[in-house]
Amino acid sequence: MHLNNIGGSSNAPAASPPWKLGFRSSRRFVISVVAMAVFTDIFIYGMIIPILPVVLKTRVAVPDDQLQKWMSIMLAAFGGALFVGSPIFGYFADKGTSRQVPFIFGLLALGGSTIMFWVARTLSSLVIARVLQGLSAAVVWTVGMALVVDTVGKDQVGAAMGYVSMAMTVGTVFGPFIGGVVLSRVSYDAVFAIAVGLIILDILLRLVMIEQKTALKWTQPPIANETESLLGSVGDTGNGVYEATRQDYSEVVANPRHSVCWPEVSGEPNSSGKTSNIPPIVRLMCSSSMLLFLGATVVDAILWSSFDTVLPLHVMDTFNWSPFWVGICFLPLFAPSFFSPLVGDAVDRYGSRTIAFLGFLLDFPTFFLLRLITHDTEQDQVLLYIFLFIAGIASSLQMVSLMTEISLVVERHEKESPGIFGTQGGMGQAYGLFNVAWSGGQVLGPLIAGLLSDRGGWVTMVSVFGTMSGITAVVIGFSDEKILRAFRKEA
């Protein structure tokens, strides 16, 4: 047995393959490592939220009249680090020879932030801890997503992103719950002991993982040609089952090379194989397809985050619910995300734009139906659960398809102009932009929802968001020839 090259170093001799190379570089294991990274990051973030007021009051001695201010600063520190760090880490991930190095750096940032939270006694320490946590999230959601795409290839990106999305949901649901329960029933130190345990497990997984491009030095045929489905064998169905995704490349109304900044890339022929002088992230920001789906990502994040802001207050005012029942009402919203792998499989089969279109189209009537939830009756309570469940389905369709489409936009650009993003491609920077769009939407969502609710009430807010969903569905529909063709047949 060879135990060397735990991290998959490129300097290892080709004649001495690492121990369990096939397993450590397999698609399932790499996706599991990324999903675990997403879960750990989201779980620890959510676990800290309910104990943050306690930390500010008891350990830092923040006065009650300044508590809200410092809570906002802590949230802003995380969001700012995520916003700034995402494109930076995406750039370095694409420029480096390995995704694993920045991936491990993100883990160190998360470990540092967790320990600082544990021992912090000053406001400056807490702010620095939140910044480190934001940088860690930036790494996970840029380098991790790029690593997934590198591993599975374009035909199974949707299924892989489905597992990642499910991991995010599990962390979102259980992080605050476990953090609050452990703090109230056990101790403050126990909360961070759980977090440190998860980080140690994450360290082991990230060090054991070997990137497939590194593994090719020893076992190129079995690694490079691995084609099994993430949800089961595709031997009986063949490659045709994913033909819809490949056809989707040629069914975009807009030319995939079209740029809103310039018509072509420095006069380079498409087949030159030379790298453009234009930085990949600038090239991506000037892509009409990328801008379209970054905009859709902002809308998705606004819709999702708006529930966190307005829903608790609305159900408390309407139904006189306690905090326990307020938490319960979020379960129908989260539940459909556990089926994200199936959504991802549908994305691979029918195309990411089609599924994204259906997701926003489903949100359109759902938000308008939420206008009905205005009276303290059993019927309204049942309807609320139903409508939130449908909204959860729509959100899962949107999230998985948008995460997948980002990679397909990069693939299309690379196909049209080989080498345009360099030897490592532009996947890291593309997901850096995705992260910026998502974090921007999460900042705007609570602000817009709060403003609409204060000025016009619950009915106005859900009506505006329903209209926003409908407009987004129409824009995505007009961007895809397959969707337009389906409507022409109906007409």
Side-chain angles (χ1 to χ4, degrees):
M1 283 187 187
H2 297 280
L3 298 175
N4 60 309
N5 194 22
I6 291 296
S9 171
S10 59
N11 297 324
S16 180
W19 177 65
K20 295 290 185 181
L21 174 65
F23 170 74
R24 291 163 58 189
S25 60
S26 66
R27 292 181 177 185
R28 284 186 174 88
F29 183 71
V30 173
I31 292 169
S32 298
V33 171
V34 175
M36 180 64 188
V38 169
F39 168 78
T40 301
D41 181 81
I42 297 294
F43 180 88
I44 292 177
Y45 171 84
M47 190 170 60
I48 288 175
I49 291 298
I51 71 171
L52 190 54
V54 177
V55 174
L56 290 171
K57 290 180 68 174
T58 63
R59 299 178 68 87
V60 188
V62 173
D64 288 342
D65 60 343
Q66 296 186 27
L67 194 58
Q68 183 60 59
K69 181 184 92 170
W70 283 103
M71 283 287 292
S72 301
I73 291 174
M74 296 298 164
L75 293 173
F78 176 89
L82 180 65
F83 190 89
V84 174
S86 295
I88 294 175
F89 284 120
Y91 174 82
F92 284 109
D94 287 339
K95 289 299 181 182
T97 58
S98 171
R99 307 280 195 199
Q100 193 169 18
V101 174
F103 207 37
I104 292 176
F105 175 83
L107 176 64
L108 296 176
L110 181 60
S113 71
T114 303
I115 293 173
M116 288 189 72
F117 262 114
W118 194 348
V119 301
R121 294 285 183 177
T122 64
L123 287 170
S124 59
S125 298
L126 288 175
V127 172
I128 294 173
R130 291 293 287 177
V131 169
L132 288 175
Q133 196 175 34
L135 293 176
S136 171
V139 173
V140 168
W141 287 100
T142 53
V143 182
M145 299 304 100
L147 181 59
V148 167
V149 176
D150 292 346
T151 301
V152 303
K154 67 178 183 293
D155 289 340
Q156 294 186 22
V157 171
M161 292 302 177
Y163 284 101
V164 173
S165 178
M166 184 175 67
M168 179 186 70
T169 300
V170 174
T172 301
V173 172
F174 289 103
F177 173 74
I178 291 179
V181 170
V182 172
L183 179 65
S184 60
R185 299 295 176 89
V186 187
S187 69
Y188 175 83
D189 291 335
V191 173
F192 291 94
I194 293 173
V196 170
L198 280 175
I199 292 172
I200 291 174
L201 177 59
D202 211 351
I203 288 174
L204 294 176
L205 289 174
R206 294 195 201 187
L207 290 177
V208 167
M209 180 190 71
I210 299 176
E211 294 182 64
Q212 285 201 357
K213 64 182 179 182
T214 302
L216 291 178
K217 295 186 300 181
W218 292 283
T219 55
Q220 182 165 356
I223 299 296
N225 298 325
E226 185 182 3
T227 56
E228 72 271 15
S229 169
L230 295 171
L231 298 178
S233 174
V234 294
D236 297 333
T237 58
N239 293 333
V241 74
Y242 293 111
E243 192 64 29
T245 301
R246 285 190 284 273
Q247 289 176 354
D248 190 52
Y249 285 176
S250 60
E251 292 179 342
V252 181
V253 173
N255 189 325
R257 298 199 312 269
H258 173 69
S259 167
V260 298
C261 301
W262 47 77
E264 260 309 331
V265 185
S266 306
E268 292 279 2
N270 292 341
S271 60
S272 66
K274 297 181 181 179
T275 303
S276 169
N277 292 326
I278 302 168
I281 194 167
V282 176
R283 170 77 173 166
L284 289 168
M285 289 173 65
C286 292
S287 163
S288 57
S289 296
M290 182 64 73
L291 289 177
L292 168 63
F293 284 92
L294 290 178
T297 300
V298 173
V299 173
D300 183 22
I302 288 174
L303 300 178
W304 181 256
S305 60
S306 66
F307 285 111
D308 293 338
T309 305
V310 177
L311 184 60
L313 295 177
H314 180 68
V315 297
M316 289 174 70
D317 291 341
T318 304
F319 305 131
N320 295 315
W321 279 354
S322 66
F324 173 80
W325 288 106
V326 171
I328 291 296
C329 81
F330 277 92
L331 292 182
L333 191 63
F334 290 135
S337 296
F338 289 96
F339 300 98
S340 292
L342 298 179
V343 174
D345 190 46
V347 168
D348 289 332
R349 290 173 183 268
Y350 306 113
S352 54
R353 297 194 178 208
T354 301
I355 302 301
F357 168 76
L358 293 175
F360 285 104
L361 188 64
L362 184 60
D363 252 346
F364 172 61
T366 302
F367 272 99
F368 276 96
L369 288 172
L370 284 169
R371 291 164 49 100
L372 302 175
I373 313 301
T374 55
H375 299 92
D376 186 10
T377 64
E378 186 174 333
Q379 176 181 325
D380 276 19
Q381 294 176 17
V382 172
L383 288 175
L384 175 66
Y385 285 126
I386 295 173
F387 297 155
L388 290 178
F389 184 77
I390 297 173
I393 295 174
S395 179
S396 295
L397 295 176
Q398 295 161 14
M399 185 68 174
V400 176
S401 58
L402 292 174
M403 290 167 66
T404 304
E405 179 63 23
I406 294 299
S407 70
L408 298 183
V409 171
V410 177
E411 292 273 2
R412 284 195 286 267
H413 278 288
E414 184 66 36
K415 182 180 179 182
E416 292 294 328
S417 303
I420 193 172
F421 297 127
T423 56
Q424 283 288 93
M427 207 63 72
Q429 292 166 88
Y431 279 105
L433 292 174
F434 172 82
N435 218 14
V436 167
W438 179 262
S439 60
Q442 284 194 309
V443 171
L444 290 174
L447 295 176
I448 295 174
L451 179 64
L452 291 173
S453 182
D454 289 341
R455 298 293 178 86
W458 167 263
V459 171
T460 299
M461 187 206 75
V462 294
S463 299
V464 170
F465 286 153
T467 303
M468 190 184 301
S469 301
I471 293 174
T472 305
V474 170
V475 173
I476 293 175
F478 275 106
S479 76
D480 189 71
E481 181 63 29
K482 185 165 56 177
I483 298 174
L484 291 175
R485 198 161 54 235
F487 277 103
R488 291 192 191 107
K489 288 181 181 179
E490 292 294 330

